[in-house]
Amino acid sequence: MKTLIAGASGIAMATLATGAQAEPKTNMMHQWAQGSEAAAIAKLGEMFEAAGGTWEQTAISGHTSNTLAKLRSDVVSGNAPAAVQLKGPEIAEWNATGATANLDEVAAAEGWDDVVAPELVSVMKPTGNWVAAPMNIHRVNWLYSSPKILGELGLDVPKTWDEFNAACDKIVAAGHTCIAHGAADWSDSTTFDSIVYGMDIDLYRAAFQEADVDAMRSQGMIDAFAQLRKMVGYMDDGINGRSWEQSMTMTMTGEAAFFLMGDWTVASANLAGFVEGEDYYCHQTPVNWDGDGFILNADSVVFFNQKDEDYIEGQKLLAQIIMSPEFQVTFNVAKGSIPSRTDVDLSEGGFTQCQQKGLEDLKASVEQGTLVRSMAHNMTVLQKYRGAMMEVITEFVADDSITPEEAANQLADAVELQG
Ligand code: BGC
């Protein structure tokens, strides 16, 4: 028996039954290699160490696809990570291989069933057992805007895509960049997530959640690509090689009017000292239907079976910490996201107005039946389909000779090729 008591954070860890003298250790693989993301995951390391664990991490820079590729190669070479940040259907896929640990014991002891946001449960329990510990809920469909440019031109934040285009025409005519953007497969697809969703929610569900190729070839998808083409025209010439943080800065310093990106932006803005309401506003990306929309993304941690008792103990400790109210506040304040527990009060602990609005909109969206999961952020289809779709979307952004009709067909063809 070994009792683990957290130090500074004050979390009283459950008593863990361990036959041997196991010393909890972990090595967590994740995609958060720099900036506010690295700062947020460092909080987990600090809490793990404060609770008596030995923390190591393997940060894979780039976006989720890189982490997924590394995970695959590590598992194939018999070196499965003790803990890995994993999302959406990939959780079910890895669970089906039998290589992942069952978290039911920790989940029962800690009462996860009573506190985890219902929107996450089926993803974390793909076949009825807890396989993943959810860290957060991220909102993908945020539109950040520049108070400076909107104020100068007397513009309101656009609510529909027509209003958005009309605002951009005025902003460009006044000599400003309308959309700050950094081209990358996932960020191009983040923008496209919002376009398809805001133009036709049923199309989003069919094409991006169910991978329905007829929906991909439909007129609605052609119209969505036409909107994306228009928006590329509202970007400046410097999108290649620009990071999302640099794009964010363009909007927050008044160099560009709008930035479409998930709420990890809030964390990066805080770290850079930008102030909500002064340097930026946050609103949902435009929708052509009336109502509140929420495109959901969630980061979670999956544990791969280990032989070494220290790593097994480390998995239990890490799972407990991730789901603790203390971690959920500390991490999510630092990450820009919303806690995965429903019993955390966002009016305390340093959550921003945008984060609080995110939670309100999540609830409203659930009530209105408009909630979807994000294709661009690995929450709907397997990586092989997402990767194929993202390639088509990013090619379309890069090459303006591709027509919207061609892109819609390419999207369907690419998915069909994956079988
Ligand atoms: C991840 C976030 C991350 C963002 C930008 C998303 O897919 O879920 O944790 O902050 O990408 O890198």
Side-chain angles (χ1 to χ4, degrees):
M1 282 290 222
K2 186 176 172 72
T3 305
L4 298 163
I5 307 288
S9 70
I11 306 168
M13 285 301 157
T15 301
L16 300 175
T18 75
Q21 308 267 308
E23 298 290 340
K25 276 192 191 146
T26 202
N27 186 341
M28 180 168 157
M29 184 190 291
H30 59 79
Q31 72 182 69
W32 300 308
Q34 63 222 7
S36 54
E37 300 181 342
I41 193 64
K43 307 270 182 205
L44 180 56
E46 283 161 24
M47 288 179 86
F48 190 73
E49 298 235 308
T54 303
W55 167 260
E56 281 178 20
Q57 56 181 332
T58 304
I60 313 290
S61 57
H63 202 247
T64 323
S65 322
N66 296 0
T67 310
L68 292 175
K70 170 85 169 119
L71 169 64
R72 201 163 292 274
S73 78
D74 280 7
V75 174
V76 168
S77 61
N79 204 14
V84 61
Q85 173 216 355
L86 202 62
K87 300 204 221 160
E90 297 289 319
I91 296 174
E93 192 82 345
W94 280 109
N95 177 40
T97 68
T100 59
N102 180 326
L103 306 178
D104 282 352
E105 207 179 305
V106 186
E110 305 277 317
W112 292 7
D113 280 304
D114 299 330
V115 294
V116 171
E119 299 72 38
L120 301 178
V121 172
S122 61
V123 184
M124 309 298 146
K125 293 171 84 172
T127 54
N129 304 105
W130 285 98
V131 180
M135 305 175 92
N136 63 8
I137 293 176
H138 269 307
R139 185 193 205 176
V140 172
N141 56 322
W142 277 117
L143 175 70
Y144 305 92
S145 53
S146 158
K148 191 168 151 212
I149 296 183
L150 295 186
E152 177 196 315
L153 301 176
L155 293 171
D156 290 330
V157 174
K159 291 200 173 68
T160 64
W161 286 111
D162 280 349
E163 286 178 18
F164 183 86
N165 296 341
C168 273
D169 287 337
K170 290 188 185 140
I171 289 160
V172 170
H176 300 293
T177 297
C178 191
I179 304 175
H181 189 72
D185 57 4
W186 69 272
S187 54
D188 297 338
S189 298
T190 297
T191 301
F192 201 52
D193 254 10
S194 276
I195 295 174
V196 176
Y197 178 67
M199 288 178 72
D200 184 342
I201 196 165
D202 294 331
L203 173 65
Y204 186 98
R205 289 199 167 111
F208 289 168
Q209 301 201 150
E210 284 141 40
D212 173 342
V213 288
D214 292 335
M216 292 180 201
R217 292 187 205 279
S218 71
Q219 185 59 44
M221 189 59 81
I222 295 170
D223 295 345
F225 273 112
Q227 174 64 22
L228 179 57
R229 172 66 70 231
K230 210 179 229 305
M231 287 168 69
V232 175
Y234 293 137
M235 297 169 187
D236 68 341
D237 290 338
I239 62 173
N240 291 322
R242 183 185 285 147
S243 69
W244 66 265
E245 289 96 334
Q246 289 169 322
S247 312
M248 171 196 86
T249 303
M250 284 173 69
T251 295
M252 302 205 172
T253 56
E255 205 187 311
F258 299 118
F259 178 50
L260 289 84
M261 189 49 72
D263 51 10
W264 42 92
T265 303
V266 170
S268 188
N270 282 345
L271 201 66
F274 293 119
V275 179
E276 201 180 304
E278 282 176 29
D279 300 312
Y280 67 99
Y281 299 132
C282 57
H283 291 82
Q284 72 172 352
T285 51
V287 293
N288 293 347
W289 33 272
D290 209 19
D292 299 295
F294 200 100
I295 305 184
L296 180 142
N297 171 27
D299 296 309
S300 45
V301 179
V302 169
F303 303 95
F304 278 74
N305 292 325
Q306 303 288 307
K307 292 202 179 82
D308 183 331
E309 271 300 323
D310 291 350
Y311 283 100
I312 297 170
E313 275 322 296
Q315 293 176 328
K316 293 182 197 161
L317 179 57
L318 200 58
Q320 285 176 326
I321 293 178
I322 288 170
M323 288 311 301
S324 69
E326 290 85 350
F327 172 79
Q328 290 285 325
V329 171
T330 307
F331 177 74
N332 286 303
V333 164
K335 190 71 176 68
S337 37
I338 303 170
S340 61
R341 295 180 66 114
T342 52
D343 58 352
V344 177
D345 181 0
L346 268 62
S347 66
E348 288 171 11
F351 289 96
T352 66
Q353 294 294 316
C354 287
Q355 284 170 294
Q356 295 181 41
K357 174 91 174 74
L359 179 58
E360 273 169 36
D361 288 359
L362 170 65
K363 288 181 183 160
S365 175
V366 169
E367 247 169 55
Q368 294 163 31
T370 59
L371 181 89
V372 298
R373 294 188 189 142
S374 169
M375 182 279 286
H377 292 275
N378 304 80
M379 294 299 295
T380 60
V381 292
L382 285 174
Q383 171 61 20
K384 61 177 182 171
Y385 299 115
R386 168 188 180 251
M389 288 200 257
M390 289 200 310
E391 213 174 300
V392 171
I393 296 163
T394 215
E395 252 325 287
F396 181 79
V397 169
D399 180 352
D400 63 10
S401 73
I402 303 172
T403 66
E405 289 79 2
E406 284 165 347
N409 278 321
Q410 287 168 6
L411 198 68
D413 292 346
V415 166
E416 272 171 350
L417 257 180
Q418 296 301 318

